[in-house]
Amino acid sequence: MILQSTRVWVLNNWLEAQIEIEDGKIQEIYPYGTKPVDKDYGDKRIVPGFIDVHTHGAYGFDTNDAEEEGLRNWMKNIVKEGVTGILPTTITQSEEVLTNAVKNVAKVVREGYEGAEILGIHFEGPYLDQVYKGAQPEQYCVKPDVEQFQRYYEASDHLIKVVTMACEHDEGYALTRFCVDHDIVVSQGHSGATYDQARMAIAHGAKSMTHVYNGMTKFHHRDPGLVGAAFRFRDVYGEIICDGNHSTYDALNDYFTAKGPNYSVMITDSLMVKGLPAGTKTLFGGNEIELYEDGSAHLTDTKGLAGSTLNVNKGLQILVEKALVPWQTAINACTINPARMIGVDDRKGSIQTGKDADLVVLNDDYSVEMTYTKGKEAF
């Protein structure tokens, strides 16, 4: 099959090009008009498939629910916003709940499903700071524990690829070291770390930060905190929720300008209320949340932000049109950067020969015309 468009995102440029797909891979890239095509998308943009490495759920399903069909339905439908790769993300809860959650993901991966590819699991909590826990249930936040985490890791069939934790509570950086030794990304988040503590965690192998600005020590010019570390250490990845609610457009611009094009990672941090009507109330980690009209989800008792219902294609629009982030930086944040962060950039994240044919066709309003997962039309 051959697709073509006058705007194909290749090597950080819009090219007039054709993409030949065979056996789920990008077989060849030709100049526009070289060969007869199966689908001509005119001037619609073709970009790599989006990868969301921090997302709890959607359509009434939460990763912690441990329901096979809920997970399958999520994967089948999330392609409609251009997502082709995903890390279902847990929230702090009891060991029983978290064990069942990761076992469920592993079972679905083994038995098969349709839609976006499950690239692993993001294990957010329970190793979080009590003060910066956000919407995570305080009663289940515990100190990092290698033996306990090993049980989770085995239950997940080694699918855990990212762990969010407050590394300042990791005695001797024992869990950080374990994760590094097993190629698991340690992401500092929900953390009360000082700038110096954040730097030491990086020195021991932490390579990312979770939803920068949110759930972490703030920036002050005499006390830079974890936000200051995210800005300073430009070769450490940093997730950021690009919905305009968790961070203003100007704050997004500041972050992406400081971070540059290669280490910023757009996430949705979406909750199970994504895709449901405004006003919906449900439980998230045992706490009641409500979906607001602007797409944000809030705890009903404190009114604090609990997460988002962002679509990745909408996040791309916000970065380019509202936050005025350059195309290269914005597209990288939802494609090659997350792929590189979790070690799948050899097959995901860019339009290059030999890689999986995960592609998104975007209209000028950033709506998704079509998503291809390994060369197949996904909806």
Side-chain angles (χ1 to χ4, degrees):
M1 178 173 65
I2 297 178
L3 314 177
Q4 77 174 6
S5 168
T6 60
R7 292 188 291 183
V8 180
W9 187 255
V10 180
L11 300 175
N12 296 321
N13 285 284
W14 295 113
L15 298 184
E16 298 183 357
Q18 296 181 332
I19 305 169
E20 184 174 10
I21 299 168
E22 185 176 322
D23 296 327
K25 300 285 187 180
I26 298 173
Q27 184 69 24
E28 190 59 80
I29 299 174
Y30 303 105
Y32 185 91
T34 299
K35 292 191 170 188
V37 298
D38 298 284
K39 187 69 176 180
D40 187 343
Y41 282 106
D43 63 355
K44 298 181 189 296
R45 295 185 175 97
I46 300 180
V47 300
F50 302 141
I51 298 173
D52 192 357
V53 297
H54 187 151
T55 171
H56 296 278
Y59 322 123
F61 171 80
D62 180 86
T63 301
N64 279 18
D65 290 343
E67 297 172 355
E68 294 175 44
E69 293 313 308
L71 180 58
R72 287 193 173 96
N73 180 64
W74 182 18
M75 295 305 102
K76 185 175 181 179
N77 283 284
I78 201 68
V79 292
K80 295 175 183 177
E81 64 186 67
V83 173
T84 59
I86 199 166
L87 297 188
T89 305
T90 59
I91 180 178
T92 297
Q93 252 295 336
S94 68
E95 183 165 351
E96 179 184 4
V97 169
L98 292 177
T99 299
N100 288 337
V102 298
K103 279 184 175 180
N104 182 61
V105 176
K107 184 178 182 183
V108 169
V109 168
R110 286 195 307 270
E111 296 181 354
Y113 57 97
E114 299 177 2
E117 182 175 351
I118 297 173
L119 300 173
I121 297 168
H122 184 148
F123 201 67
E124 187 181 22
Y127 311 122
L128 309 179
D129 184 76
Q130 296 276 354
V131 175
Y132 290 88
K133 61 181 175 54
Q136 310 268 337
E138 180 178 351
Q139 64 271 33
Y140 295 113
C141 293
V142 297
K143 289 186 176 182
D145 183 326
V146 175
E147 289 186 5
Q148 182 188 61
F149 180 75
Q150 285 178 303
R151 294 195 293 271
Y152 292 133
Y153 189 50
E154 293 303 319
S156 77
D157 285 354
H158 297 184
L159 279 175
I160 295 175
K161 301 300 180 185
V162 180
V163 176
T164 290
M165 67 170 156
C167 293
E168 71 273 16
H169 299 308
D170 185 17
E171 188 173 347
Y173 298 99
L175 183 52
T176 302
R177 294 173 192 268
F178 177 88
C179 290
V180 171
D181 289 344
H182 290 79
D183 295 322
I184 301 168
V185 175
V186 174
S187 187
Q188 297 186 74
H190 291 286
S191 167
T194 65
Y195 180 88
D196 288 338
Q197 287 174 325
R199 177 164 52 189
M200 288 304 297
I202 294 167
H204 283 85
K207 62 183 288 186
S208 184
M209 297 186 187
T210 296
H211 43 53
V212 172
Y213 291 130
N214 293 276
M216 61 177 57
T217 46
K218 308 306 180 187
F219 177 83
H220 185 278
H221 57 284
R222 287 190 294 272
D223 186 11
L226 198 49
V227 171
F231 276 60
R232 172 65 179 82
F233 300 107
R234 300 184 73 213
D235 55 354
V236 170
Y237 292 99
E239 306 173 356
I240 189 162
I241 306 168
C242 300
D243 62 355
N245 294 319
H246 283 77
S247 304
T248 67
Y249 303 141
D250 291 324
L252 290 171
N253 184 284
D254 287 343
Y255 174 74
F256 281 92
T257 300
K259 203 69 173 175
N262 298 321
Y263 287 89
S264 48
V265 176
M266 181 203 298
I267 60 167
T268 64
D269 197 11
S270 69
L271 307 185
M272 65 187 298
V273 290
K274 177 174 176 172
L276 302 181
T280 296
K281 293 182 180 180
T282 188
L283 294 180
F284 177 56
N287 297 319
E288 188 179 65
I289 60 172
E290 180 179 359
L291 177 60
Y292 285 18
E293 290 285 350
D294 64 3
S296 60
H298 294 251
L299 294 167
T300 55
D301 55 355
T302 67
K303 308 303 180 185
L305 272 168
S308 88
T309 57
L310 179 68
N311 292 349
V312 177
N313 59 313
K314 177 65 175 178
L316 181 63
Q317 180 181 26
I318 286 171
L319 287 185
V320 174
E321 304 290 342
K322 301 292 187 180
L324 304 182
V325 171
W327 273 106
Q328 177 189 356
T329 302
I331 291 179
N332 283 4
C334 51
T335 57
I336 191 61
N337 293 355
R340 193 184 300 116
M341 177 183 130
I342 62 173
V344 297
D345 54 306
D346 59 329
R347 60 189 181 94
K348 303 285 185 183
S350 60
I351 299 176
Q352 292 178 268
T353 58
K355 289 196 173 186
D356 291 347
D358 292 346
L359 306 167
V360 183
V361 182
L362 294 174
N363 297 306
D364 281 343
D365 64 357
Y366 297 82
S367 62
V368 174
E369 177 76 14
M370 179 52 64
T371 300
Y372 293 86
T373 56
K374 295 184 178 179
K376 296 181 180 179
E377 293 186 353
F379 65 90

